[in-house]
Amino acid sequence: MEKDYLKDISEIRSIMEKSSRFISLSGLTGVLAGTYALIGAFIANKLIYNSGTVLYHDLLSQRQVSENLTWLIVDLVAVFVLAVGTGVYFTTKKAKKHGVKTWDDSAKRVILNLMIPLVIGGLFVMILYTRGFISLMAPATLIFYGMALINASKYTFRDIRYLGIIQAGLGLLACLSPGYGLLIWALGFGVMHIVYGAVMYFKYER
């Protein structure tokens, strides 16, 4: 009787969690998104500095960025599209596996809470570029992305909050480390996504 009682409680808790939280996020999405980010950072480094390493000591100038602005935008869009496409694929696959809807109310809440800081951050980065504050663009993307993750973590896995805090922290570190913005960006969007995705995969999907 006691075992049946505990089993019923566990099932009720699982149903409530599925209805209130978006749990179809896949750790593999993080791993692949991080890989795309590292490749994108490498290409961006080549476009801006034409050097063999992502490390650099000189502050970015508007001229260095504007000379290859079109290709940098293509690079950024490619990374974004690949990451989103991968996320949609693995999210749909995981949702079907667990017999839940892919885009339910909880998913909509996650997207809304992600998009608000991301849109504001994107506009802020555009302002930085027009004002010539190029070296603050990479830190700003990390900070606003971290805030977006923290904001959305209320409606999905709580673990995402920690990733958000790390991303925002790296953004602040990049602000204090002129000349290393791209390197820290690669660490945040690349390495941390891979590590976090792997942890999530083995914690929730294995």
Side-chain angles (χ1 to χ4, degrees):
M1 288 292 292
E2 183 178 353
K3 289 183 179 179
D4 292 339
Y5 178 71
L6 293 175
K7 183 179 179 181
D8 290 340
I9 292 178
S10 178
E11 290 178 352
I12 292 171
R13 182 180 178 182
S14 177
I15 293 172
M16 291 179 64
E17 185 178 49
K18 287 181 179 180
S19 63
S20 63
R21 292 187 179 277
F22 184 59
I23 59 173
S24 296
L25 292 175
S26 173
L28 293 177
T29 298
V31 173
L32 290 174
T35 303
Y36 303 148
L38 287 178
I39 296 172
F42 177 78
I43 294 173
N45 176 72
K46 287 289 186 180
L47 289 171
I48 297 173
Y49 295 99
N50 194 27
S51 64
T53 173
V54 76
L55 261 175
Y56 54 92
H57 300 279
D58 299 325
L59 290 176
L60 278 171
S61 69
Q62 197 160 14
R63 178 188 60 79
Q64 286 173 291
V65 174
S66 60
E67 286 179 351
N68 293 292
L69 182 60
T70 300
W71 288 111
L72 286 170
I73 292 175
V74 170
D75 181 34
L76 180 62
V77 170
V79 171
F80 178 77
V81 170
L82 285 171
V84 171
T86 300
V88 170
Y89 172 76
F90 282 110
T91 295
T92 303
K93 184 177 180 180
K94 186 177 178 181
K96 289 181 178 179
K97 179 180 179 181
H98 292 280
V100 296
K101 293 182 179 180
T102 305
W103 304 114
D104 54 10
D105 289 339
S106 61
K108 293 175 183 177
R109 287 193 292 267
V110 169
I111 293 174
L112 177 62
N113 282 271
L114 270 175
M115 291 307 298
I116 292 174
L118 288 180
V119 170
I120 295 173
L123 295 173
F124 181 67
V125 169
M126 291 175 62
I127 293 172
L128 289 176
Y129 177 76
T130 59
R131 297 292 183 177
F133 297 108
I134 307 302
S135 295
L136 291 177
M137 291 171 62
T141 59
L142 285 166
I143 291 172
F144 279 96
Y145 178 60
M147 297 306 295
L149 292 179
I150 294 171
N151 200 39
S153 66
K154 300 186 294 289
Y155 305 103
T156 183
F157 295 112
R158 290 288 184 182
D159 308 67
I160 289 180
R161 180 184 299 270
Y162 304 120
L163 178 62
I165 293 172
I166 291 172
Q167 298 287 2
L170 287 173
L172 293 175
L173 176 63
C175 289
L176 298 173
S177 308
Y180 291 91
L182 185 57
L183 175 65
I184 298 175
W185 188 94
L187 176 62
F189 282 98
V191 177
M192 292 311 305
H193 268 137
I194 293 173
V195 172
Y196 174 80
V199 170
M200 292 291 287
Y201 178 77
F202 286 106
K203 184 176 180 179
Y204 294 108
E205 300 176 51
R206 292 290 289 178

